[in-house]
């Protein structure tokens, strides 16, 4: 049985750990509210530009923009993986990595090549461990999504698709549902899925006069639309990260509290046993003297 000194040391150690996890829980809760506000603020812009692109693309049926081409035979795949820079976020990164592992296995068996873009340190490490070629990356993006920071990394993948180096581009991230639930998502980013536009048309016919021409207008609007989708995915992932970290740190704090209570009980029993032993020895010694 450990001595009372050892038990006191363990209790102090767990108490210090609990202070850290409790502080991290409070910080994550504060950041979560801000991340949720940014995520919700970005949604109206995403909806408006989706409507605009749907109407403009529908009216310009003769446009030859590569983002609107039909999906044909897939030989090479581009992947944009959005993950966190830091750990201690529960199963958030593990869930999306497990989903992608199954997809990678499926794509490899079909003989498809994969080129990836990593947003976030955890995703980058995951891709490097698997030996997936990473053509662009950005890490340490902070707690607030910044399009200027993301733009260069995203542009590499968009150019690869435009030049025909990849046939389809997928976007993987964690979608924020609520503070207790985040779901891994894998969406087709390019070519833009027809269903995204069909859902917005609602049987209404639109007519536009383009200046200078339809292809020039679409060549400017479509990249902005794709960038908005990626920005929204990063904002969703950040809100998911802080929510998952808050829940994970709360669970860690609660576990530390239970461990402290158990150690305190063991300490009291050990101390009581030591006192009883001392009393027994004193009484035995007194009886032997008399």
């Amino acid at each position: 049985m450990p001595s009372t000194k050892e038990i006191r040391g363990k209790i102090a150690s767990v108490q210090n750990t609990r202070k850290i996890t409790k502080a991290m829980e409070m910080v994550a809760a504060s950041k979560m509210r801000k991340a949720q506000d940014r995520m919700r603020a970005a949604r109206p812009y995403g909806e408006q530009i989706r409507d605009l692109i749907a109407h403009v693309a529908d009216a310009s049926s003769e446009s030859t923009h590569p983002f609107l081409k039909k999906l044909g035979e897939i030989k090479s795949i581009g992947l944009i993986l959005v993950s966190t820079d830091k750990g201690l976020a529960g199963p958030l990164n593990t869930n999306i990595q497990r989903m992608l592992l199954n997809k990678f296995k499926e794509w490899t068996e079909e003989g498809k090549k994969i080129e990836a873009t990593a947003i976030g340190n955890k995703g980058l490490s995951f891709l490097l461990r698997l030996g997936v070629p990473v053509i662009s990356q950005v890490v340490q993006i902070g707690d607030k999504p910044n399009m200027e920071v993301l733009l260069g990394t995203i542009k590499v993948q968009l150019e690869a698709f435009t030049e025909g180096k990849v046939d389809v581009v997928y976007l993987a991230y964690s979608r924020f549902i609520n503070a207790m639930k985040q779901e891994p998502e894998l969406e087709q980013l390019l070519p833009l899925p027809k269903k995204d536009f069909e859902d917005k048309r609602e049987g209404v016919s639109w007519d536009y006069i383009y200046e200078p021409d339809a292809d020039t207008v679409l060549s400017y609007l479509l990249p902005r639309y794709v960038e908005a989708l990626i920005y929204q995915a990063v904002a969703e992932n950040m809100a998911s990260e802080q929510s998952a970290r808050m829940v994970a740190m709360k669970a860690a704090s609660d576990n530390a509290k239970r461990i402290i209570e158990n150690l305190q009980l063991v300490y009291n029993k050990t101390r009581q046993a030591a006192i009883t032993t001392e009393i027994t020895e004193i009484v035995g010694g007194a009886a032997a003297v008399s």
Side-chain angles (χ1 to χ4, degrees), residues 235-254:
E236 295 264 356
N237 199 82
M238 286 183 172
S240 298
E241 175 188 0
Q242 300 303 335
S243 301
R245 181 168 292 119
M246 182 191 70
V247 173
M249 291 301 99
K250 185 179 188 307
S253 299
D254 293 343

Side-chain angles (χ1 to χ4, degrees), residues 66-67 69 157-164 166-169 190-191:
F67 286 9
K69 72 178 184 180
Q157 195 68 255
L158 300 185
E159 288 178 350
F161 176 80
T162 303
E163 295 169 3
V166 295
D167 301 312
V168 62
V169 178
L190 295 173

Side-chain angles (χ1 to χ4, degrees), residues 18-250:
R18 185 169 184 266
K19 290 178 182 178
I20 295 172
T21 56
K22 193 66 178 178
M24 292 181 68
E25 176 191 345
M26 296 174 67
V27 171
S30 174
K31 290 183 177 181
M32 180 188 70
R33 287 190 288 270
K34 296 178 181 178
Q36 288 182 21
D37 291 341
R38 284 192 294 268
M39 176 193 67
R40 294 191 177 100
R43 282 178 176 173
Y45 174 78
E47 288 297 320
Q48 287 296 323
I49 195 171
R50 186 186 294 260
D51 289 345
L52 176 62
I53 293 297
H55 298 153
V56 172
D58 187 33
S60 178
S61 58
E62 298 179 357
S63 175
T64 58
H65 197 282
F67 286 9
L68 296 175
K69 72 178 184 180
K70 293 182 179 180
L71 184 61
E73 183 182 0
I74 300 175
K75 295 182 179 179
S76 57
I77 295 173
L79 174 69
I80 299 177
L81 173 57
V82 182
S83 64
T84 68
D85 282 317
K86 301 175 182 177
L88 299 177
L92 184 72
N93 290 309
T94 305
N95 288 340
I96 195 167
Q97 290 173 7
R98 186 182 297 114
M99 177 191 68
L100 288 176
L101 274 174
N102 295 329
K103 280 293 182 182
F104 287 159
K105 182 179 179 181
E106 177 185 333
W107 292 337
T108 303
E109 290 174 351
E110 294 173 354
K112 298 173 182 176
K113 296 189 299 181
I114 306 171
E115 292 185 350
T117 291
I119 299 177
N121 191 48
K122 294 298 180 181
L124 176 61
S125 300
F126 168 71
L127 293 171
L128 293 177
R129 285 197 306 271
L130 292 181
V132 177
V134 178
I135 60 174
S136 61
Q137 65 188 58
V138 58
V139 297
Q140 303 300 330
I141 57 179
D143 297 322
K144 185 177 180 181
N146 188 332
M147 202 63 226
E148 294 180 357
V149 175
L150 299 173
L151 200 55
T153 302
I154 296 168
K155 190 176 180 181
V156 174
Q157 195 68 255
L158 300 185
E159 288 178 350
F161 176 80
T162 303
E163 295 169 3
K165 295 180 181 178
V166 295
D167 301 312
V168 62
V169 178
Y170 289 101
L171 176 64
Y173 65 100
S174 297
R175 182 185 296 278
F176 178 85
I177 306 300
N178 53 51
M180 301 298 294
K181 185 178 181 181
Q182 303 85 35
E183 293 183 349
E185 292 284 342
L186 182 65
E187 299 179 351
Q188 180 182 321
L189 186 64
L190 295 173
L192 296 173
K194 294 295 182 182
K195 65 178 182 64
D196 287 357
F197 299 150
E198 291 169 355
D199 293 344
K200 296 296 180 181
R201 289 170 184 169
E202 300 177 354
V204 178
S205 178
W206 295 80
D207 190 19
Y208 290 89
I209 297 176
Y210 298 97
E211 180 63 36
D213 55 70
D215 284 339
T216 302
V217 173
L218 287 174
S219 65
Y220 178 81
L221 288 179
L222 288 175
R224 302 292 84 75
Y225 173 57
V226 173
E227 292 165 7
L229 293 179
I230 297 175
Y231 180 91
Q232 182 66 32
V234 173
E236 295 264 356
N237 199 82
M238 286 183 172
S240 298
E241 175 188 0
Q242 300 303 335
S243 301
R245 181 168 292 119
M246 182 191 70
V247 173
M249 291 301 99
K250 185 179 188 307

Side-chain angles (χ1 to χ4, degrees), residues 10-11 14-15 18 21 247-266:
K10 290 181 180 179
I11 292 174
V14 178
Q15 285 176 336
R18 185 169 184 266
T21 56
V247 173
M249 291 301 99
K250 185 179 188 307
S253 299
D254 293 343
N255 288 336
K257 182 179 179 181
R258 284 193 292 271
I259 292 173
I260 291 170
E261 291 173 350
N262 292 335
L263 287 173
Q264 192 69 51
L265 181 60
V266 173

